[in-house]
Amino acid sequence: MNPGRLQGRVAIITGGARGIGKAIAFKIVQEGALVSLLDILGDLVAQTAEELRAIGGKALGLKADVRQKEKVGQAVQRTLDHFGRMDILVNNAGIVQPALLEDVKEEDWEAVVNTNLKGTLICTRAVLPTMKKNRYGKIINIGSRSSLGKELRTVYSATKAGLIGMTRTWALELAPHNINVNYVGPGPIATELFKASNPEDSPKTRALVNGIPLKRMGEPEDVANLVSFLASDESSFITGQAIFICGGLTVGIAHY
Ligand code: NAP
C-alpha cells in the first residue's frame, strides 16, 4: 500500500460495518490510516474489518452500540491498546424512522435522537481526553441534506440539524486544543441497502435522480473522498463547517 495523506493516523468510524461508514473505512485505509470500526452489527463489523485486512489494511472490528457509554469507552480503550494512538473520529452511525409529523411515535423519537445525537456526544466525549492530551484531533460528524427539511423526516431532520449546532459549538470549544470539527451532509447516496430496495430503473429512483441537479445519485465513495480530506492535514484551516455533498440539491431548493 502506498503512503498516503493519512499515513499512520488512527481513526474510529462508528457505523463502519457497511454503507457509507464502510466506504470511508476503505478510503482512509488506502490513504494509510489504521481503523477501528464500531458497529451494533457484531458479525458484519468483524467481516468488514477482515475485508480491510485482506487488502493490506490494519483494521479492528468492534461490536458497540454508540448509545452505551460504557461499551463505547471499552471500544475506544481497545483501539488505544491495539494501535497505540487515536487521531480521527467519524461519527457516522445513524438511523432514520420515516413518518409524517402526526405519526411520529415517542419510541422512534427516543431511538433516533439517542442514536444520532446522544451517540455522537458519547463517542466524542470518549475520544476527547486522548485528543486533548495529544493536542491533535479531527472529528467529522455525518449529518444529512435532510437537516434542511424533507418530508417524513421530522425526527431525523431535527437530529441532523442538531448535529450542525453541535459541530459549530465543538469547533469553538476545541479549537484551542488543535481539534477540528466538521459536518458532512450527504444527499441521497446509493448504498447497497438503497440499491436493494430501489432498482436503478424504477420510476421512484428515476424521479429521485431527476430532482438532483447533477442528475445522479451520490456514491458512498463520494462521501468517503470528502471525509478523507477533512480527516487530513490538508484541511487544517477548516473547522465548524457544514458541507453538503448532494449533487447540488441544496442549491436546487434555493430556486423554489
Ligand atoms: P447504514 O447502511 O444503515 O449503515 C449504518 C451502520 O450503523 C449500520 O451497520 C447500522 O446498524 C449501524 N448502527 C445503527 N445504529 C447504531 C448504534 N446505535 N450503534 C452502532 N452502530 C449503529 O447507513 P448509511 O446509509 O451508510 O448511513 C450512514 C450515515 O450517513 C448515517 O448517519 C445516515 O444518517 C447518513 N446519511 C445517509 C444517507 C444515504 O442516502 N444513505 C443520506 C444522508 C445521510 P443497523 O443496520 O442495525 O442500524
Side-chain angles (χ1 to χ4, degrees), residues 222-235:
D222 290 315
V223 183
N225 289 338
L226 176 57
V227 170
S228 165
F229 169 66
L230 291 173
S232 78
D233 290 334
E234 290 172 11
S235 61

Side-chain angles (χ1 to χ4, degrees), residues 106-193:
E106 275 193 42
E107 55 264 38
D108 291 347
W109 174 270
E110 300 276 326
V112 177
V113 169
N114 283 344
T115 304
N116 299 3
L117 281 177
K118 192 173 164 194
T120 298
L121 180 76
I122 287 174
C123 293
T124 304
R125 290 217 289 221
V127 302
L128 268 192
T130 306
M131 287 187 175
K132 281 188 171 178
K133 181 160 69 71
N134 295 342
R135 287 197 49 76
Y136 186 91
K138 303 279 187 185
I139 298 170
I140 297 131
N141 295 325
I142 304 298
S144 172
R145 206 257 354 131
S146 307
S147 58
L148 301 177
K150 182 171 162 70
E151 300 88 341
L152 303 168
R153 296 289 188 278
T154 291
V155 190
Y156 183 74
S157 68
T159 61
K160 296 298 190 178
L163 278 181
I164 298 179
M166 276 163 59
T167 300
R168 291 167 62 93
T169 300
W170 296 350
L172 292 175
E173 290 186 9
L174 300 177
H177 302 276
N178 193 34
I179 299 170
N180 300 53
V181 190
N182 287 294
Y183 171 106
V184 167
I189 304 296
T191 58
E192 291 304 319
L193 268 191

